Amino acid sequence: MNKIFLFALAVSAFAKAQQIPSPKTDSLMLRSIYDHNLTQSKSYEWLDHLSNEIGGRLSGSIQAERAVDYTTAELAKFVDRTEKQSVMVPKWTRGTPEFAYIQLGNLNTINVNVCALGGSIPTREEGIKAEIIEVKSLDELEVLGKEQIQGKFVFYNRPMDPKKIQTFEAYGGCVDQRYSGAREAGKYGAVGVIVRSMNLRLDDFPHTGSMSYGDLPIENYIPAAAISTNDAERLSTYLSLDSDIQFYLKQDCTVWGDVPSHNVFGEIKGSKYPDEIIVVGGHLDSWDLGDGSHDDGAGVVQSMQVLHTLKELGYRPQRTIRVVLFMNEENGLKGAKEYARQAALKKEQHIFALESDAGGFTPRGFSFDASDEQMALINSWRNLFKPYLIHYFEQGGSGADVGPLKEQGTVVAGLRPDSQRYFDFHHAANDTFEAVNKRELQLGAATMTSLIYLIDKYGTLKKTLD
């Protein structure tokens, strides 16, 4: 145990006896947290194993269950208790690689990069070839009507807005065409949909992601695939020159029934208020094209590292701190819903939940789904984070997996890394271990640990719940 931390403990004990905040103690503690993460962190080692030894962890897959076993075993080495929480999750498999091409009027063909969207049905065995019509929004389908859509592919080609500095806003501005595109086109008799990948840059990687048929009758289900941004531009150009070109798609993905899986959690029991629970977590599942290093292997290992850091520094939390690794965030959110349901049944008191699910890039701060009073208390800690270039403390938003806990009165939050490069990798084959910078990953874990430490020490967010 280093001298700085021993001194911090001594000052902290004095401050607690006086029942007053101790900024100097907290500053020293944060320094110890960052020093530890930048020199002795295990997060990058854990991510290496998840990515390179296990790989993509689509819910319902063998790889997902191997990740459950691995993280449970690693957590058991340093926490007080671990648990595998049973949950039923949807299973979908991609099958053989998809194949598609554009057929020009002179019968020449140009192969394009596509991938099936998660949850899509397959094409028939011989594939589908048909005319293709380009739209920029779901609303355009109603204008075109069944007469112009029936028997054709619908090509959704609304790009992410490059003017948005917050790239998740750009994503939110066009992801409806991926999620609901097949449902809406199926109503008008389309034979399939091709969706521009959710990606701000031009490249050859198609990006998968979840889609839904909603309440569409099963006889109107149609195949759905994403096309790379380069090929979306190419397809749009050809259509502007000849609206009668043909498009061919073949994919043999399969939608299975629900299968058993698990959330994973490990906790360090609180020494003073053990019934008050602080959650930190990420989602253990990923898409299958890459190995899910940014989405969300980074969040998984950063969350594990929070508890490991506190343990290694000899800090005994007052409140129970629990790392939760949720299953099935990508295509159903079943793990998060089950965790919240079980928490309600057990009448557990969750006072705060933090999620990391925005990639392993340089941390900038946090967003909080919290009241004005709670934000005032959180903002009082801003100066402690300034030496580490953490400045973003904003109200609004958290994370998909911690969201269901909000209904129980829990304050929820999300780590906010720099997002400018995130959608270069999101749900694509290039989301691999090599894309994650070790130092940036470690800084994110240190930033999360620092916030969890402050919430545990002061318990300030609980005031509005009493």
Side-chain angles (χ1 to χ4, degrees):
M1 196 179 300
N2 61 51
K3 291 181 180 179
I4 291 177
F5 184 64
L6 287 172
F7 175 72
L9 285 179
V11 177
S12 177
F14 173 78
K16 288 179 182 178
Q18 301 299 311
Q19 296 185 333
I20 58 174
S22 49
K24 186 172 184 179
T25 304
D26 296 333
S27 178
L28 290 170
M29 181 60 176
L30 264 62
R31 180 72 266 176
S32 293
I33 288 171
Y34 276 88
D35 286 351
H36 179 82
N37 274 273
L38 292 171
T39 58
Q40 300 178 59
S41 171
K42 290 181 67 67
S43 56
Y44 198 63
E45 175 186 328
W46 288 327
L47 184 62
D48 187 4
H49 187 96
L50 278 176
S51 301
N52 294 320
E53 300 300 323
I54 295 177
R57 304 170 296 281
L58 194 56
S59 69
S61 68
I62 293 173
Q63 290 87 348
E65 290 311 299
R66 286 179 61 198
V68 165
D69 293 339
Y70 173 69
T71 52
T72 302
E74 289 299 305
L75 284 168
K77 295 176 182 178
F78 57 90
V79 301
D80 298 334
R81 183 178 78 89
T82 62
E83 181 178 332
K84 296 179 184 179
Q85 185 180 67
S86 296
V87 59
M88 297 297 291
V89 300
K91 180 174 182 176
W92 175 86
T93 53
R94 183 172 302 281
T96 56
E98 302 84 348
F99 179 68
Y101 62 76
I102 302 165
Q103 182 174 299
L104 304 179
N106 60 10
L107 301 183
N108 286 337
T109 61
I110 301 167
N111 292 353
V112 291
N113 296 287
V114 298
C115 68
L117 294 178
S120 174
I121 64 168
T123 62
R124 53 183 178 261
E125 187 175 352
E126 67 272 22
I128 300 171
K129 185 164 70 172
E131 291 183 12
I132 187 164
I133 186 168
E134 180 179 350
V135 299
K136 300 292 185 182
S137 71
L138 301 181
D139 293 338
E140 284 187 49
L141 300 181
E142 186 176 355
V143 176
L144 290 168
K146 192 169 186 177
E147 184 177 336
Q148 295 188 63
I149 295 173
Q150 189 168 24
K152 299 178 182 178
F153 281 102
V154 171
F155 169 38
Y156 292 99
N157 191 33
R158 185 186 346 140
M160 291 177 68
D161 187 350
K163 300 187 299 297
K164 298 288 188 183
I165 302 303
Q166 298 284 6
T167 60
F168 280 88
E169 291 182 15
Y171 177 71
C174 62
V175 74
D176 63 333
Q177 60 192 339
R178 189 196 75 199
Y179 188 76
S180 303
R183 181 188 69 199
E184 296 305 312
K187 296 176 182 178
Y188 295 92
V191 297
V193 296
I194 305 300
V195 183
R196 183 189 183 100
S197 288
M198 306 293 109
N199 182 6
L200 278 160
R201 74 176 181 181
L202 294 175
D203 63 23
D204 294 322
F205 293 102
H207 294 230
T208 191
S210 185
M211 56 80 63
S212 172
Y213 294 107
D215 57 1
L216 193 70
I218 194 166
E219 61 268 21
N220 295 123
Y221 284 16
I222 55 177
I227 187 169
S228 74
T229 49
N230 270 339
D231 287 324
E233 294 288 296
R234 184 175 292 114
L235 176 56
S236 182
T237 299
Y238 283 126
L239 282 169
S240 69
L241 298 172
D242 181 1
S243 61
D244 295 327
I245 66 172
Q246 302 265 307
F247 192 88
Y248 174 83
L249 173 68
K250 177 175 170 54
Q251 59 187 39
D252 66 351
C253 42
T254 304
V255 180
W256 308 89
D258 283 3
V259 298
S261 188
H262 302 87
N263 294 324
V264 172
F265 62 82
E267 65 184 25
I268 299 176
K269 203 73 173 176
S271 59
K272 191 173 182 180
Y273 309 108
D275 293 335
E276 296 181 13
I277 299 170
I278 297 169
V279 163
V280 58
H283 65 85
L284 198 50
D285 62 307
S286 76
W287 286 107
D288 57 321
L289 295 178
D291 55 47
S293 289
H294 275 299
D295 185 19
D296 186 30
V300 166
V301 300
Q302 286 172 330
S303 299
M304 293 169 65
Q305 186 62 48
V306 170
L307 271 67
H308 188 266
T309 298
L310 295 176
K311 186 78 170 183
E312 288 293 297
L313 291 179
Y315 177 79
R316 186 69 187 181
Q318 299 181 67
R319 295 161 176 83
T320 295
I321 302 179
R322 179 182 294 172
V323 57
V324 182
L325 310 179
F326 300 93
M327 185 58 70
N328 184 230
E329 186 273 345
E330 292 292 6
N331 58 337
L333 216 64
K334 293 289 186 71
K337 293 175 180 176
E338 180 63 16
Y339 180 81
R341 188 183 76 84
Q342 290 288 342
L345 287 174
K346 297 172 185 176
K347 301 187 185 303
E348 292 182 330
Q349 185 183 9
H350 289 71
I351 67 167
F352 183 72
L354 171 64
E355 181 168 358
S356 172
D357 185 19
F361 300 100
T362 302
R364 301 298 186 204
F366 306 93
S367 61
F368 298 87
D369 199 336
S371 68
D372 291 343
E373 179 189 0
Q374 289 162 338
M375 282 305 301
L377 294 164
I378 291 165
N379 282 326
S380 70
W381 299 331
R382 278 176 175 266
N383 285 340
L384 292 168
F385 287 91
K386 279 188 176 180
Y388 311 102
L389 305 181
I390 303 301
H391 62 274
Y392 186 86
F393 290 78
E394 297 295 328
Q395 193 172 10
S398 56
D401 285 306
V402 298
L405 289 172
K406 184 186 175 184
E407 297 176 10
Q408 301 173 27
T410 307
V411 177
V412 291
L415 178 71
R416 291 293 168 252
D418 187 300
S419 69
Q420 303 311 313
R421 291 176 290 135
Y422 181 62
F423 290 99
D424 295 354
F425 306 98
H426 184 247
H427 298 177
N430 60 340
D431 183 5
T432 60
F433 181 69
E434 292 74 21
V436 177
N437 178 275
K438 180 179 181 181
R439 184 174 178 85
E440 291 179 339
L441 181 76
Q442 293 169 340
L443 286 168
T447 303
M448 293 166 67
T449 307
S450 299
L451 180 64
I452 295 297
Y453 156 76
L454 290 166
I455 290 169
D456 174 64
K457 180 178 176 181
Y458 296 109
T460 50
L461 300 184
K462 182 176 178 289
K463 289 182 179 180
T464 59
L465 305 179
D466 290 337

PDB file of all heavy atoms in Angstrom, residues 121 180-190 211-222:
ATOM      1  N   ILE A 121     -35.068 -12.486 -40.984  1.00  0.00           N
ATOM      2  CA  ILE A 121     -35.266 -13.796 -41.584  1.00  0.00           C
ATOM      3  C   ILE A 121     -34.307 -13.941 -42.761  1.00  0.00           C
ATOM      4  O   ILE A 121     -33.740 -12.954 -43.242  1.00  0.00           O
ATOM      5  CB  ILE A 121     -36.724 -13.995 -42.040  1.00  0.00           C
ATOM      6  CG1 ILE A 121     -37.081 -12.994 -43.150  1.00  0.00           C
ATOM      7  CG2 ILE A 121     -37.682 -13.872 -40.857  1.00  0.00           C
ATOM      8  CD1 ILE A 121     -38.402 -13.304 -43.852  1.00  0.00           C
ATOM      9  N   SER A 180     -36.824  -0.334 -37.713  1.00  0.00           N
ATOM     10  CA  SER A 180     -38.214  -0.475 -38.156  1.00  0.00           C
ATOM     11  C   SER A 180     -38.379  -0.543 -39.670  1.00  0.00           C
ATOM     12  O   SER A 180     -39.502  -0.655 -40.163  1.00  0.00           O
ATOM     13  CB  SER A 180     -39.041   0.710 -37.625  1.00  0.00           C
ATOM     14  OG  SER A 180     -38.966   0.790 -36.213  1.00  0.00           O
ATOM     15  N   GLY A 181     -37.285  -0.472 -40.395  1.00  0.00           N
ATOM     16  CA  GLY A 181     -37.373  -0.412 -41.855  1.00  0.00           C
ATOM     17  C   GLY A 181     -38.079  -1.595 -42.484  1.00  0.00           C
ATOM     18  O   GLY A 181     -38.921  -1.423 -43.379  1.00  0.00           O
ATOM     19  N   ALA A 182     -37.754  -2.811 -42.044  1.00  0.00           N
ATOM     20  CA  ALA A 182     -38.378  -4.007 -42.630  1.00  0.00           C
ATOM     21  C   ALA A 182     -39.853  -4.075 -42.270  1.00  0.00           C
ATOM     22  O   ALA A 182     -40.694  -4.468 -43.092  1.00  0.00           O
ATOM     23  CB  ALA A 182     -37.647  -5.257 -42.149  1.00  0.00           C
ATOM     24  N   ARG A 183     -40.189  -3.693 -41.047  1.00  0.00           N
ATOM     25  CA  ARG A 183     -41.593  -3.711 -40.631  1.00  0.00           C
ATOM     26  C   ARG A 183     -42.433  -2.787 -41.519  1.00  0.00           C
ATOM     27  O   ARG A 183     -43.503  -3.157 -41.989  1.00  0.00           O
ATOM     28  CB  ARG A 183     -41.709  -3.259 -39.174  1.00  0.00           C
ATOM     29  CG  ARG A 183     -43.136  -3.255 -38.642  1.00  0.00           C
ATOM     30  CD  ARG A 183     -43.193  -2.617 -37.274  1.00  0.00           C
ATOM     31  NE  ARG A 183     -42.928  -1.178 -37.348  1.00  0.00           N
ATOM     32  CZ  ARG A 183     -42.563  -0.435 -36.309  1.00  0.00           C
ATOM     33  NH1 ARG A 183     -42.372  -0.998 -35.123  1.00  0.00           N
ATOM     34  NH2 ARG A 183     -42.359   0.856 -36.452  1.00  0.00           N
ATOM     35  N   GLU A 184     -41.926  -1.581 -41.766  1.00  0.00           N
ATOM     36  CA  GLU A 184     -42.693  -0.615 -42.548  1.00  0.00           C
ATOM     37  C   GLU A 184     -42.732  -0.986 -44.029  1.00  0.00           C
ATOM     38  O   GLU A 184     -43.781  -0.886 -44.672  1.00  0.00           O
ATOM     39  CB  GLU A 184     -42.101   0.785 -42.357  1.00  0.00           C
ATOM     40  CG  GLU A 184     -42.202   1.312 -40.932  1.00  0.00           C
ATOM     41  CD  GLU A 184     -43.627   1.293 -40.400  1.00  0.00           C
ATOM     42  OE1 GLU A 184     -44.543   1.757 -41.122  1.00  0.00           O
ATOM     43  OE2 GLU A 184     -43.839   0.803 -39.273  1.00  0.00           O
ATOM     44  N   ALA A 185     -41.610  -1.430 -44.578  1.00  0.00           N
ATOM     45  CA  ALA A 185     -41.584  -1.798 -46.004  1.00  0.00           C
ATOM     46  C   ALA A 185     -42.418  -3.045 -46.263  1.00  0.00           C
ATOM     47  O   ALA A 185     -43.014  -3.198 -47.336  1.00  0.00           O
ATOM     48  CB  ALA A 185     -40.142  -2.006 -46.465  1.00  0.00           C
ATOM     49  N   GLY A 186     -42.451  -3.957 -45.270  1.00  0.00           N
ATOM     50  CA  GLY A 186     -43.243  -5.173 -45.421  1.00  0.00           C
ATOM     51  C   GLY A 186     -44.724  -4.896 -45.576  1.00  0.00           C
ATOM     52  O   GLY A 186     -45.454  -5.666 -46.218  1.00  0.00           O
ATOM     53  N   LYS A 187     -45.185  -3.783 -45.026  1.00  0.00           N
ATOM     54  CA  LYS A 187     -46.601  -3.409 -45.148  1.00  0.00           C
ATOM     55  C   LYS A 187     -46.990  -3.077 -46.589  1.00  0.00           C
ATOM     56  O   LYS A 187     -48.162  -3.163 -46.957  1.00  0.00           O
ATOM     57  CB  LYS A 187     -46.898  -2.203 -44.255  1.00  0.00           C
ATOM     58  CG  LYS A 187     -46.731  -2.452 -42.765  1.00  0.00           C
ATOM     59  CD  LYS A 187     -46.948  -1.164 -41.981  1.00  0.00           C
ATOM     60  CE  LYS A 187     -46.739  -1.372 -40.495  1.00  0.00           C
ATOM     61  NZ  LYS A 187     -46.898  -0.096 -39.723  1.00  0.00           N
ATOM     62  N   TYR A 188     -45.990  -2.688 -47.377  1.00  0.00           N
ATOM     63  CA  TYR A 188     -46.255  -2.266 -48.758  1.00  0.00           C
ATOM     64  C   TYR A 188     -45.825  -3.316 -49.784  1.00  0.00           C
ATOM     65  O   TYR A 188     -45.769  -3.025 -50.983  1.00  0.00           O
ATOM     66  CB  TYR A 188     -45.552  -0.945 -49.043  1.00  0.00           C
ATOM     67  CG  TYR A 188     -46.088   0.209 -48.225  1.00  0.00           C
ATOM     68  CD1 TYR A 188     -45.517   0.531 -47.004  1.00  0.00           C
ATOM     69  CD2 TYR A 188     -47.176   0.950 -48.663  1.00  0.00           C
ATOM     70  CE1 TYR A 188     -46.006   1.581 -46.241  1.00  0.00           C
ATOM     71  CE2 TYR A 188     -47.685   2.003 -47.920  1.00  0.00           C
ATOM     72  CZ  TYR A 188     -47.091   2.315 -46.696  1.00  0.00           C
ATOM     73  OH  TYR A 188     -47.600   3.349 -45.939  1.00  0.00           O
ATOM     74  N   GLY A 189     -45.503  -4.532 -49.324  1.00  0.00           N
ATOM     75  CA  GLY A 189     -45.182  -5.608 -50.245  1.00  0.00           C
ATOM     76  C   GLY A 189     -43.767  -5.632 -50.764  1.00  0.00           C
ATOM     77  O   GLY A 189     -43.486  -6.273 -51.785  1.00  0.00           O
ATOM     78  N   ALA A 190     -42.836  -4.946 -50.096  1.00  0.00           N
ATOM     79  CA  ALA A 190     -41.427  -5.016 -50.497  1.00  0.00           C
ATOM     80  C   ALA A 190     -40.911  -6.443 -50.317  1.00  0.00           C
ATOM     81  O   ALA A 190     -41.415  -7.202 -49.475  1.00  0.00           O
ATOM     82  CB  ALA A 190     -40.595  -4.045 -49.669  1.00  0.00           C
ATOM     83  N   MET A 211     -33.046  -5.335 -35.386  1.00  0.00           N
ATOM     84  CA  MET A 211     -34.224  -4.881 -36.121  1.00  0.00           C
ATOM     85  C   MET A 211     -35.428  -5.622 -35.571  1.00  0.00           C
ATOM     86  O   MET A 211     -35.311  -6.616 -34.852  1.00  0.00           O
ATOM     87  CB  MET A 211     -34.062  -5.120 -37.626  1.00  0.00           C
ATOM     88  CG  MET A 211     -33.764  -6.544 -38.052  1.00  0.00           C
ATOM     89  SD  MET A 211     -35.193  -7.650 -38.112  1.00  0.00           S
ATOM     90  CE  MET A 211     -36.182  -6.882 -39.362  1.00  0.00           C
ATOM     91  N   SER A 212     -36.621  -5.126 -35.897  1.00  0.00           N
ATOM     92  CA  SER A 212     -37.843  -5.745 -35.376  1.00  0.00           C
ATOM     93  C   SER A 212     -38.941  -5.708 -36.424  1.00  0.00           C
ATOM     94  O   SER A 212     -39.079  -4.726 -37.165  1.00  0.00           O
ATOM     95  CB  SER A 212     -38.304  -5.005 -34.115  1.00  0.00           C
ATOM     96  OG  SER A 212     -39.576  -5.453 -33.696  1.00  0.00           O
ATOM     97  N   TYR A 213     -39.734  -6.778 -36.445  1.00  0.00           N
ATOM     98  CA  TYR A 213     -40.904  -6.804 -37.316  1.00  0.00           C
ATOM     99  C   TYR A 213     -42.145  -6.285 -36.596  1.00  0.00           C
ATOM    100  O   TYR A 213     -43.208  -6.156 -37.207  1.00  0.00           O
ATOM    101  CB  TYR A 213     -41.154  -8.233 -37.817  1.00  0.00           C
ATOM    102  CG  TYR A 213     -40.049  -8.737 -38.723  1.00  0.00           C
ATOM    103  CD1 TYR A 213     -39.140  -9.682 -38.278  1.00  0.00           C
ATOM    104  CD2 TYR A 213     -39.917  -8.262 -40.021  1.00  0.00           C
ATOM    105  CE1 TYR A 213     -38.128 -10.154 -39.099  1.00  0.00           C
ATOM    106  CE2 TYR A 213     -38.909  -8.713 -40.858  1.00  0.00           C
ATOM    107  CZ  TYR A 213     -38.007  -9.670 -40.389  1.00  0.00           C
ATOM    108  OH  TYR A 213     -37.001 -10.116 -41.205  1.00  0.00           O
ATOM    109  N   GLY A 214     -42.010  -6.005 -35.305  1.00  0.00           N
ATOM    110  CA  GLY A 214     -43.116  -5.462 -34.535  1.00  0.00           C
ATOM    111  C   GLY A 214     -44.344  -6.348 -34.620  1.00  0.00           C
ATOM    112  O   GLY A 214     -44.264  -7.567 -34.456  1.00  0.00           O
ATOM    113  N   ASP A 215     -45.502  -5.741 -34.932  1.00  0.00           N
ATOM    114  CA  ASP A 215     -46.758  -6.484 -35.023  1.00  0.00           C
ATOM    115  C   ASP A 215     -47.100  -6.872 -36.464  1.00  0.00           C
ATOM    116  O   ASP A 215     -48.237  -7.228 -36.773  1.00  0.00           O
ATOM    117  CB  ASP A 215     -47.898  -5.668 -34.418  1.00  0.00           C
ATOM    118  CG  ASP A 215     -48.057  -4.291 -35.074  1.00  0.00           C
ATOM    119  OD1 ASP A 215     -47.284  -3.979 -36.006  1.00  0.00           O
ATOM    120  OD2 ASP A 215     -48.942  -3.529 -34.640  1.00  0.00           O
ATOM    121  N   LEU A 216     -46.104  -6.821 -37.334  1.00  0.00           N
ATOM    122  CA  LEU A 216     -46.322  -7.195 -38.740  1.00  0.00           C
ATOM    123  C   LEU A 216     -46.703  -8.672 -38.823  1.00  0.00           C
ATOM    124  O   LEU A 216     -46.057  -9.513 -38.181  1.00  0.00           O
ATOM    125  CB  LEU A 216     -45.047  -6.929 -39.542  1.00  0.00           C
ATOM    126  CG  LEU A 216     -45.140  -6.965 -41.068  1.00  0.00           C
ATOM    127  CD1 LEU A 216     -45.933  -5.770 -41.583  1.00  0.00           C
ATOM    128  CD2 LEU A 216     -43.736  -6.980 -41.677  1.00  0.00           C
ATOM    129  N   PRO A 217     -47.724  -9.049 -39.585  1.00  0.00           N
ATOM    130  CA  PRO A 217     -48.055 -10.475 -39.752  1.00  0.00           C
ATOM    131  C   PRO A 217     -46.858 -11.235 -40.317  1.00  0.00           C
ATOM    132  O   PRO A 217     -46.131 -10.723 -41.175  1.00  0.00           O
ATOM    133  CB  PRO A 217     -49.221 -10.446 -40.759  1.00  0.00           C
ATOM    134  CG  PRO A 217     -49.802  -9.080 -40.628  1.00  0.00           C
ATOM    135  CD  PRO A 217     -48.658  -8.171 -40.322  1.00  0.00           C
ATOM    136  N   ILE A 218     -46.658 -12.448 -39.854  1.00  0.00           N
ATOM    137  CA  ILE A 218     -45.455 -13.205 -40.218  1.00  0.00           C
ATOM    138  C   ILE A 218     -45.344 -13.410 -41.726  1.00  0.00           C
ATOM    139  O   ILE A 218     -44.243 -13.484 -42.281  1.00  0.00           O
ATOM    140  CB  ILE A 218     -45.420 -14.558 -39.466  1.00  0.00           C
ATOM    141  CG1 ILE A 218     -44.021 -15.175 -39.575  1.00  0.00           C
ATOM    142  CG2 ILE A 218     -46.507 -15.497 -39.955  1.00  0.00           C
ATOM    143  CD1 ILE A 218     -43.800 -16.319 -38.613  1.00  0.00           C
ATOM    144  N   GLU A 219     -46.469 -13.447 -42.426  1.00  0.00           N
ATOM    145  CA  GLU A 219     -46.412 -13.631 -43.881  1.00  0.00           C
ATOM    146  C   GLU A 219     -45.855 -12.406 -44.592  1.00  0.00           C
ATOM    147  O   GLU A 219     -45.485 -12.475 -45.774  1.00  0.00           O
ATOM    148  CB  GLU A 219     -47.794 -13.976 -44.436  1.00  0.00           C
ATOM    149  CG  GLU A 219     -48.855 -12.927 -44.220  1.00  0.00           C
ATOM    150  CD  GLU A 219     -49.654 -13.137 -42.931  1.00  0.00           C
ATOM    151  OE1 GLU A 219     -49.139 -13.844 -42.032  1.00  0.00           O
ATOM    152  OE2 GLU A 219     -50.778 -12.607 -42.842  1.00  0.00           O
ATOM    153  N   ASN A 220     -45.752 -11.290 -43.871  1.00  0.00           N
ATOM    154  CA  ASN A 220     -45.195 -10.072 -44.460  1.00  0.00           C
ATOM    155  C   ASN A 220     -43.755  -9.801 -44.025  1.00  0.00           C
ATOM    156  O   ASN A 220     -43.194  -8.755 -44.367  1.00  0.00           O
ATOM    157  CB  ASN A 220     -46.060  -8.869 -44.102  1.00  0.00           C
ATOM    158  CG  ASN A 220     -47.450  -8.929 -44.694  1.00  0.00           C
ATOM    159  OD1 ASN A 220     -48.442  -8.879 -43.991  1.00  0.00           O
ATOM    160  ND2 ASN A 220     -47.526  -9.080 -46.017  1.00  0.00           N
ATOM    161  N   TYR A 221     -43.166 -10.746 -43.272  1.00  0.00           N
ATOM    162  CA  TYR A 221     -41.762 -10.599 -42.890  1.00  0.00           C
ATOM    163  C   TYR A 221     -40.893 -10.619 -44.149  1.00  0.00           C
ATOM    164  O   TYR A 221     -41.118 -11.426 -45.052  1.00  0.00           O
ATOM    165  CB  TYR A 221     -41.313 -11.738 -41.981  1.00  0.00           C
ATOM    166  CG  TYR A 221     -41.782 -11.646 -40.543  1.00  0.00           C
ATOM    167  CD1 TYR A 221     -42.812 -10.807 -40.151  1.00  0.00           C
ATOM    168  CD2 TYR A 221     -41.185 -12.436 -39.561  1.00  0.00           C
ATOM    169  CE1 TYR A 221     -43.235 -10.738 -38.825  1.00  0.00           C
ATOM    170  CE2 TYR A 221     -41.600 -12.383 -38.236  1.00  0.00           C
ATOM    171  CZ  TYR A 221     -42.629 -11.533 -37.875  1.00  0.00           C
ATOM    172  OH  TYR A 221     -43.049 -11.485 -36.564  1.00  0.00           O
ATOM    173  N   ILE A 222     -39.891  -9.735 -44.194  1.00  0.00           N
ATOM    174  CA  ILE A 222     -38.981  -9.687 -45.332  1.00  0.00           C
ATOM    175  C   ILE A 222     -37.540  -9.608 -44.824  1.00  0.00           C
ATOM    176  O   ILE A 222     -37.292  -9.107 -43.727  1.00  0.00           O
ATOM    177  CB  ILE A 222     -39.285  -8.477 -46.251  1.00  0.00           C
ATOM    178  CG1 ILE A 222     -39.254  -7.166 -45.459  1.00  0.00           C
ATOM    179  CG2 ILE A 222     -40.623  -8.671 -46.954  1.00  0.00           C
ATOM    180  CD1 ILE A 222     -39.473  -5.914 -46.311  1.00  0.00           C
TER     181      ILE A 222
END
